[in-house]
Amino acid sequence: MTMNLFVYKTYEELSRHAADQVIQSVVDKPEAVLCMATGSTPILTYSYVSAFAKQNRVDFSRVHFISLDEWVGVPRTNAGSCYAFLHASLFAPLVIRNDHIHFFNTEADDLVFECKRIDAKIIELGGIDFMLLGVGMNGHIGFNEPGVSRKLNAHVIELDEVTCTVGQKYFSEETKLKNGITLGLAQIMKSRKILLLATGSDKQDIIRKTLEGKISNDVPASFIRKHPNGYVLLDLSAAGELTIGL
Ligand code: PGA
């Protein structure tokens, strides 16, 4: 198994290490193409990245950001959208130019075209250098829900019930969530480096399936074990009773 597993005592420690790797990817390649997940897990990582970049004048001006996923039917102006989340936590603090942010526009008439547009942008930029992922309670990465094909690029997908229920936490009022738009597993697996983060005891069960179960699209996150440059960062609570690599 090629996977690299790191377990940290605390969420803070994990977030510091994840932030260091984001910064390092930009120091190594100032024109890096990054793809960063939304969610509760990476919030502290992003605040460390923004603070460190500001203090140390790390130059993000040539970096490009590719959208990982977005809720269909939720406009960017909604604070619960993935765009709004990343804008507040990374794009605004790092002062990223708009034309370096390549995000799914779920208000477009033709979402299939939107998928093709993002597929083409990834190719035009020479591929994704660094991807930071969380894992859903059902094992999804991005909105690659259980059962999704391993071969897909960007696509529109019907969201799993778990995702629709858990996703309510991003919205100030109950929001109808049905479909998502996401990069596919084919693109995720092609990115040059992946960091997958999981924290908290709620994730113990899915992390055990991800790392110790069968590698299959029943648990899309399990494919990280096949990535030659895939890193899994856990805190002690998410690691739980894992028997591997500890
Ligand atoms: P979370 O979301 O970080 O809020 O747990 C993870 C995900 O659904 O991908």
Side-chain angles (χ1 to χ4, degrees):
M1 187 163 70
T2 52
M3 189 194 61
N4 306 291
L5 175 64
F6 295 89
V7 180
Y8 300 98
K9 282 205 184 73
T10 63
Y11 175 54
E12 286 71 21
E13 208 184 318
L14 174 145
S15 305
R16 287 249 175 248
H17 280 86
D20 285 351
Q21 300 216 30
V22 177
I23 295 284
Q24 197 57 47
S25 68
V26 174
V27 170
D28 291 346
K29 187 173 177 185
E31 69 286 9
V33 178
L34 308 185
C35 177
M36 312 302 257
T38 56
S40 315
T41 311
I43 288 180
L44 191 57
T45 300
Y46 297 160
S47 99
Y48 288 154
V49 168
S50 303
F52 186 91
K54 207 171 197 172
Q55 262 170 22
N56 299 281
R57 297 173 197 267
V58 182
D59 182 12
F60 271 74
S61 67
R62 290 159 63 198
V63 170
H64 284 258
F65 283 87
I66 294 281
S67 177
L68 174 63
D69 52 8
E70 186 57 283
W71 309 99
V72 170
V74 174
R76 284 180 183 192
T77 46
N78 185 321
S81 69
C82 297
Y83 178 87
F85 176 98
L86 285 173
H87 190 269
S89 53
L90 284 175
F91 306 153
L94 295 172
V95 201
I96 306 298
R97 305 159 43 159
N98 268 336
D99 62 342
H100 282 201
I101 301 170
H102 312 286
F103 229 82
F104 291 118
N105 172 14
T106 59
E107 289 180 282
D109 290 335
D110 186 347
L111 292 183
V112 173
F113 178 79
E114 254 324 90
C115 292
K116 292 201 176 120
R117 183 177 71 80
I118 295 293
D119 290 346
K121 185 52 79 176
I122 293 172
I123 291 169
E124 181 194 321
L125 292 172
I128 296 170
D129 291 298
F130 184 99
M131 196 174 246
L132 188 144
L133 299 173
V135 53
M137 295 296 287
N138 61 358
H140 75 195
I141 43 179
F143 280 146
N144 289 280
E145 302 285 30
V148 71
S149 162
R150 154 84 178 75
K151 299 196 174 114
L152 290 179
N153 283 327
H155 60 281
V156 175
I157 187 165
E158 184 167 353
L159 296 169
D160 195 76
E161 223 176 287
V162 177
T163 302
C164 296
T165 310
V166 175
Q168 292 300 327
K169 69 179 177 181
Y170 299 111
F171 299 94
S172 54
E173 53 191 40
E174 196 173 330
T175 302
K176 188 169 160 21
L177 302 172
K178 186 170 183 299
N179 294 318
I181 186 166
T182 185
L183 295 190
L185 290 176
Q187 288 156 318
I188 292 177
M189 290 302 286
K190 266 190 219 143
S191 67
R192 294 188 184 92
K193 178 170 180 175
I194 304 180
L195 238 59
L196 183 137
L197 314 183
T199 57
S201 53
D202 285 357
K203 293 280 169 72
Q204 257 179 42
D205 188 43
I206 196 61
I207 281 299
R208 202 171 31 74
K209 289 181 180 144
T210 298
L211 302 185
E212 296 187 339
K214 201 170 144 228
I215 299 178
S216 102
N217 60 357
D218 290 342
V219 180
S222 64
F223 286 111
I224 185 142
R225 287 154 59 192
K226 289 198 153 193
H227 193 285
N229 207 10
Y231 294 78
V232 176
L233 278 59
L234 308 176
D235 68 358
L236 276 175
S237 330
E241 308 285 302
L242 282 181
T243 51
I244 49 161
L246 300 176

